[in-house]
């Protein structure tokens, strides 16, 4: 559009007044006779384009027949009206300022679209052009009704979805932004239901797009039935996604009630092209104060909440939960900073002793990583190891853990060369797949000077189960190097000892849940004890040593010893501690 546009103007107060001759208007002339000036006045009067001449003060000096006809006055005689009134330019209208600038010669032209009121009360869309050079200005008023309605139709097409006839994403965002403008809001709150049909893709894929589209249109109709009574807007955001906007929300109850009514409305099956189809929907509901909310912020929250509704089992609504979101944000924040954290050296290792059950001497230590996070403080590995595996940074982190723990183990070995400790390091599956673990281990052993026999790598059962190709080759290469392989958390996975025996594995770490089974003296669980005993016996026959995890008291330690476990690890002996504490422990045990 050419310029500012506005509502209907004041009625052009038209009074039949004779035009006085003005020096700005060329004098009337008889015809195009040679030597005589051309008859501008006649040309102006008869021109098909509705026009008026306006003086420096903005008053109409003359108007032509066409303008009179356009405005329904039947006469081209206008009072010396202020033309701004004719244009419908309000006092504070920016167009009025521009209008004045043209009259005073500071601007050449003004063009704007206005809904102009005719004398009979009807209105018409007109494009107004005022051009001048500081003296008399020429105002033309072009009827653009047809163009305008075409434009409106085009806009309607652009802003609506052809399948459901609902407002589309663009229009929805426009309305959402307008609703967020608290100046026009009664309650200052806003609600949003973001909806996605469950399993729509399957319907579309099996029955075809035509049926899919008809179903979407039918769903849209039901959504509208739910939304309309409350004056709420329904839009199709794309695919099988819809949104319902609650303007002037009175609280979460209103939005969740709307979501509930939508779920109920969708419960009835749909009859589409002779087929009976059932669909359900997942809905993310967000309700909050409009102040401080942005359209994109709201949509992001709604998107997250919709994801929760799906993850929680679909066919339901879920309300946005700031705490759950904070957790997600923390996960995101951690994930995105993991890589730099490795480079910045934000990780530290604690060590937990592995103690011989028969004589209580520390045989080895397990290295357990912690993240000394600048904002969140000291983080346990369960907060970030999974994330590091997901984004691949476990490779760098794991390499650092290996290098640091081997360096530390070598230092302890130097301090106690006669009876050295072995170091047990956790290895994630991805380290075996995505990096050259064998080369890394070889290089680190070479660099630190740690003998391979003092290094044990802990892999989980699921990591080695069904391992073939690369992981299996890696296990064999490491074992040939002299490095020991232990199966961590044994008993939580497939527990296939026969399979395990065919792998180059030398130790089993029995999962803590086994030991928990005989935690209390009053309620010993003989079944657990029998299982553990059988396991230990079998492991020994296969040439594996057995470490029990999570040994929390002396009684458990004693029973594990009787059963035949080799080593124990747990709070009964020591929590995971800083390397200095291990050094002190060694000094006490190996003077
Ligand atoms: P894990 O390898 O099974 O390590 C033993 C976990 O049990 C440690 O938790 C330890 O603090 C805890 N624990 C030790 N004694 C007891 C006890 O008596 N009772 C109970 N209830 N728990 C005990 P932490 O340090 O939180 O480590 C958790 C897991 O994180 C580890 O389980 C391991 O899977 C993983 N992890 C730790 N460090 C690394 C690492 O450097 N690389 C990789 N890939 N994973 C690591
Ligand atoms: Mg472990
Ligand atoms: Mg374990």
């Amino acid at each position: 559009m050419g310029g500012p546009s506005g509502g209907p103007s004041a009625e052009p107060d038209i009074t039949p007044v004779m035009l006085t001759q003005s020096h700005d208007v060329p004098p009337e002339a008889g015809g195009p006779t040679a030597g005589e000036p051309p008859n501008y006045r006649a040309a102006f009067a008869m021109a098909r384009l509705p026009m008026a001449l306006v003086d420096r003060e903005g008053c109409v000096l003359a108007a032509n027949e066409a303008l009179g006809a356009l405005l329904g006055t039947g006469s081209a005689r206008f009072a010396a009206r202020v033309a701004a009134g004719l244009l419908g330019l309000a006092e504070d209208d920016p167009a009025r300022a521009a209008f004045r600038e043209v009259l005073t010669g500071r601007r050449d032209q003004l063009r704007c679209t206005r809904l102009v009121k005719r004398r009979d009360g009807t209105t018409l869309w007109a494009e107004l052009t005022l051009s001048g050079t500081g003296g008399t200005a020429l105002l033309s008023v072009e009827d653009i009704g047809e163009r305008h309605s075409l434009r409106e139709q085009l806009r309607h097409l652009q802003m609506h979805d052809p399948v459901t006839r609902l407002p589309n994403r663009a229009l929805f965002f426009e309305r959402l932004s307008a609703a967020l403008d608290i100046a026009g809001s009664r309650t200052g709150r806003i609600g949003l239901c973001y909806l996605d049909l469950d399993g729509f893709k399957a319907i579309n894929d099996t029955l075809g797009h035509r049926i899919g589209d008809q179903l979407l249109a039918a769903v849209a109709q039901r959504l509208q039935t739910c939304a309309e009574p409350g004056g709420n807007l329904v839009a199709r955001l794309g695919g099988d996604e819809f949104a319902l906007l609650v303007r002037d929300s009175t609280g979460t109850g209103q939005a969740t009630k709307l979501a509930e009514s939508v779920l109920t409305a969708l419960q009835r099956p749909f009859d589409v092209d002779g087929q009976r189809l059932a669909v359900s929907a997942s809905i993310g509901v967000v309700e909050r104060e409009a102040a401080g909310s942005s359209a994109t912020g709201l949509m992001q929250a709604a998107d997250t909440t919709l994801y929760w509704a799906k993850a929680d089992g679909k066919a339901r609504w879920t309300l946005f939960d700031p705490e759950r979101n904070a957790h997600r944000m923390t996960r995101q924040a951690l994930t995105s900073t993991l890589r730099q954290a490795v480079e910045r050296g934000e990780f530290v290792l604690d060590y937990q002793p592995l103690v011989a059950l028969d004589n209580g001497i520390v045989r080895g230590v397990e290295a357990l990583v912690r993240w000394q996070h600048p904002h969140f403080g000291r983080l346990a590995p369960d907060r970030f190891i999974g994330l590091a595996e997901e984004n691949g940074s476990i490779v760098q982190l794991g390499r650092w853990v290996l290098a640091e723990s081997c360096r530390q183990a070598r230092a302890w070995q130097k301090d106690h060369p006669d009876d050295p400790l072995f170091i047990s390091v956790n290895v994630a599956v991805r380290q075996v797949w995505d990096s050259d673990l064998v080369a890394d281990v070889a290089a680190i052993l070479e660099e630190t000077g740690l003998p391979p026999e003092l290094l044990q790598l802990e892999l989980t059962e699921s990591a080695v189960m069904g391992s073939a190709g690369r992981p299996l080759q890696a296990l064999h290469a490491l074992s040939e190097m002299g490095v020991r392989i232990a199966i961590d958390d044994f008993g939580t996975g497939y527990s296939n000892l026969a399979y395990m025996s065919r792998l180059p594995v030398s130790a089993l770490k029995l999962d803590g849940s086994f030991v928990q089974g005989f935690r209390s003296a009053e309620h010993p669980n003989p079944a657990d004890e029998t299982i553990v005993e059988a396991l230990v016996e079998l492991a020994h026959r296969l040439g594996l040593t057995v470490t029990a995890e999570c040994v929390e008291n002396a009684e458990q330690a004693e029973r594990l010893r009787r059963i035949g476990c080799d080593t124990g690890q747990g709070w009964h002996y020591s929590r995971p501690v800083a390397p200095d504490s291990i050094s002190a422990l060694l000094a006490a045990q190996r003077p």
Side-chain angles (χ1 to χ4, degrees), residues 493-561:
Y494 304 89
S495 305
N496 188 338
L497 257 184
Y499 177 79
M500 230 48 95
S501 69
R502 276 183 265 136
L503 299 174
V505 169
S506 41
L508 289 189
K509 293 190 76 180
L510 280 189
D511 189 67
S513 51
F514 282 110
V515 183
Q516 268 165 19
F518 41 93
R519 178 166 285 167
S520 100
E522 292 143 47
H523 308 287
N525 188 338
D528 272 331
E529 229 172 287
T530 316
I531 292 169
V532 176
E533 196 167 359
L535 260 178
V536 173
E537 204 191 306
L538 190 56
H540 280 165
R541 261 196 258 155
L542 294 169
L544 307 171
T545 60
V546 181
T547 301
E549 295 182 335
C550 289
V551 184
E552 293 184 351
N553 58 52
E555 212 190 310
Q556 290 169 341
E558 172 52 23
R559 275 203 248 167
L560 288 163
R561 187 193 63 80

Side-chain angles (χ1 to χ4, degrees), residues 366 368 426 458 460 487-490 509-512 549-550 569:
E366 177 176 2
L368 294 160
N426 294 286
E458 297 188 11
T460 56
I487 302 302
D488 201 358
D489 307 334
F490 184 81
K509 293 190 76 180
L510 280 189
D511 189 67
E549 295 182 335
C550 289
Q569 177 184 357

Side-chain angles (χ1 to χ4, degrees), residues 334 338 346-348 350 368-373 376-388 397 576:
L334 292 184
L338 259 167
E346 287 175 7
F347 295 92
V348 291
D350 272 353
L368 294 160
V369 69
R370 280 89 180 83
W371 186 353
Q372 207 65 56
H373 196 281
F376 302 115
R378 196 177 170 89
L379 301 178
D382 57 352
R383 295 285 302 277
F384 60 86
I385 291 290
L387 302 178
L397 176 60

Side-chain angles (χ1 to χ4, degrees), residues 24 53-62 80-81 83 99-100 103 130 134-137:
D24 287 325
L53 285 167
V54 178
D55 72 9
R56 197 170 273 152
E57 303 309 314
C59 291
V60 175
L61 294 172
R81 289 290 303 163
F99 181 76
R100 284 234 61 83
L103 296 178
L130 182 72
T136 307

